Amino acid sequence: MTDERNPGQLIMPGHFIPLAEKSGRILDIDRWVIREVVHMLSSNPDIPPIAINISGRSLSEPSLPQFIGDAIREGGVAPSRLIVEITETAAVSDLHDAQHMIEALRQLGCGVCLDDFGVGFASFSYLKHLHVDTIKIDGIFIRDLANDHDNQIFVQAMVSVALGLGKS
């Protein structure tokens, strides 16, 4: 985001997203991102699928799947070219809403990814209940992976479980 008072300066997401979540404006930001990405996919049919993160607050937004469906239909974009990422923390904080959102997105044909996987205490058990296509392992396990034996063990276990459950 560009700083209105200093147009040459950018405001990084870590600074404005917490405020947007508190104020409820994050729902507007999520919809703006969806519109922009669908437009980008529509204008560039040769680019690969694009993954977007949606906020935890959007998980309980019942009209969001309809909004996404309308956007991809209007843009003439194959739904599989849009991958929606949901953080594990957000999904676990409201498992019921997350399951409904994931199912609705899958019915649309969008890919669904569980982001920051491994941060929760019971991560593996949630994989049984969250029917996502892909997991993205949290960065804490990936940093210095080549030199950190403990992280290698954790990542190997996560990959093995994910593949065993049919997830990439």
Side-chain angles (χ1 to χ4, degrees):
M1 180 183 337
T2 304
D3 187 338
E4 290 178 348
R5 288 175 278 166
N6 192 355
Q9 292 285 85
L10 294 178
I11 302 172
M12 300 311 289
H15 287 95
F16 69 82
I17 287 179
L19 295 171
E21 287 175 337
K22 283 182 184 177
S23 70
R25 297 294 310 261
I26 195 69
L27 302 173
D28 296 329
I29 292 172
D30 282 349
R31 288 174 184 250
W32 177 83
V33 168
I34 292 163
R35 281 190 304 270
E36 290 295 312
V37 167
V38 168
H39 176 72
M40 187 181 302
L41 289 167
S42 178
S43 301
N44 301 284
D46 296 329
I47 63 173
I50 296 178
I52 60 168
N53 289 68
I54 60 169
S55 68
R57 291 200 56 184
S58 284
L59 288 180
S60 59
E61 184 63 32
S63 63
L64 189 63
Q66 178 70 42
F67 178 84
I68 292 172
D70 290 345
I72 57 180
R73 276 188 295 282
E74 290 169 14
V77 172
S80 61
R81 293 185 64 215
L82 181 66
I83 301 165
V84 179
E85 296 186 0
I86 300 167
T87 65
E88 177 184 358
T89 304
V92 168
S93 70
D94 194 340
L95 196 57
H96 185 260
D97 283 346
Q99 287 171 319
H100 283 288
M101 180 65 69
I102 291 166
E103 182 57 31
L105 292 169
R106 288 176 57 106
Q107 285 181 6
L108 285 172
C110 296
V112 184
C113 178
L114 188 62
D115 196 9
D116 298 335
F117 180 75
V119 296
F121 177 70
S123 296
F124 287 145
S125 70
Y126 292 119
L127 279 183
K128 286 175 54 176
H129 304 291
L130 297 169
H131 300 283
V132 297
D133 305 302
T134 306
I135 66 164
K136 283 179 51 183
I137 298 171
D138 188 69
I140 195 169
F141 299 106
I142 303 302
R143 286 183 203 97
D144 200 32
L145 185 61
N147 302 310
D148 189 325
H149 180 72
D150 292 344
N151 279 353
Q152 291 171 10
I153 299 298
F154 285 125
V155 169
Q156 185 177 28
M158 286 184 236
V159 169
S160 179
V161 170
L163 292 175
L165 294 173
K167 299 167 188 340
S168 61

